[in-house]
Amino acid sequence: MSKSPPSPAERENIPVVGDSYHTLQRLTFELLEAAQNEILILSYALDPRLYNNKVLADLLLSLIHRNAYCKMQILISDLDSLRHGGHQFLAFAQRFPSFMEIRLQGQATRSNWHEWLIVDTRSVLCRDSIASKEALFSRHDRRWAIQLGRDFSAMWNSAEKHPDLRRLAYF
């Protein structure tokens, strides 16, 4: 799996202080606001502090209205957190199935703790794990985004279309 970062000239190390997700959340919103065609998310459990809030929901609705052909693919490892806690992405996936699809990572990659947000094959927000205090962020590194996108596609192709992801209700 490729995880080599972009060149130092094209990346910013984003420190996340303590347990604060403000910087990561701001960068996530910034990337999603600029999205035009494709969003790829690799996440162990879709951290609700980053992905389960009204601002994000509004940004996704805006994207859907701007481009009816945009796609969002989400790979997760931990289905139990969604099963027990609910998540607004489930509602989006059920309401807009042609826009968003969520899959459970295949057995070979399910222990993967990487957290990636790849937007339009050009922007990347990447953490080594959900517990990581730092992230790598690049707005315009197509080479790195393509490299991670290929790894994502390989995982996507071996991922499961788990039946619970279609039936889970939004709480």
Side-chain angles (χ1 to χ4, degrees):
M1 185 176 325
S2 302
K3 61 178 182 173
S4 59
S7 67
E10 297 174 329
R11 77 166 182 245
E12 302 163 302
N13 281 321
I14 307 296
V16 179
V17 180
D19 199 22
S20 170
Y21 276 73
H22 178 73
T23 302
L24 282 176
Q25 194 176 57
R26 179 182 55 80
L27 292 171
T28 299
F29 295 164
E30 183 180 311
L31 292 182
L32 293 178
E33 186 173 33
Q36 297 175 10
N37 298 308
E38 181 183 60
I39 299 168
L40 306 176
I41 296 176
L42 172 70
S43 180
Y44 185 78
L46 285 176
D47 187 343
R49 295 172 289 189
L50 294 177
Y51 295 116
N52 200 16
N53 57 67
K54 179 160 178 24
V55 174
L56 186 101
D58 291 344
L59 289 170
L60 294 178
L61 281 174
S62 176
L63 174 60
I64 291 168
H65 288 31
R66 282 192 322 265
N67 182 355
Y69 299 105
C70 57
K71 296 279 184 204
M72 184 170 188
Q73 296 176 323
I74 302 170
L75 276 172
I76 61 168
S77 294
D78 180 18
L79 183 59
D80 289 336
S81 63
L82 294 180
R83 192 181 278 144
H84 298 296
H87 202 289
Q88 73 180 359
F89 277 1
L90 295 172
F92 270 95
Q94 291 168 354
R95 187 173 169 198
F96 304 106
S98 62
F99 165 67
M100 180 186 289
E101 186 176 354
I102 303 172
R103 291 187 184 177
L104 184 63
Q105 288 189 50
Q107 288 293 341
T109 60
R110 198 163 296 158
S111 61
N112 180 1
W113 285 80
H114 290 97
E115 298 277 322
W116 299 343
L117 171 60
I118 306 165
V119 176
D120 294 333
T121 319
R122 75 169 187 277
S123 303
V124 176
L125 180 60
C126 176
R127 291 187 293 164
D128 284 336
S129 76
I130 195 168
S132 177
K133 303 276 187 228
E134 290 188 359
L136 294 177
F137 175 71
S138 181
R139 285 183 185 88
H140 304 289
D141 189 343
R142 289 188 61 76
R143 190 171 41 163
W144 189 36
I146 288 169
Q147 183 181 26
L148 289 177
R150 285 183 184 140
D151 291 344
F152 183 94
S153 291
M155 288 185 281
W156 182 261
N157 292 334
S158 67
E160 300 175 29
K161 293 182 181 181
H162 199 281
D164 282 354
L165 291 171
R166 288 189 297 268
R167 291 192 302 254
L168 288 172
Y170 172 62
F171 298 100

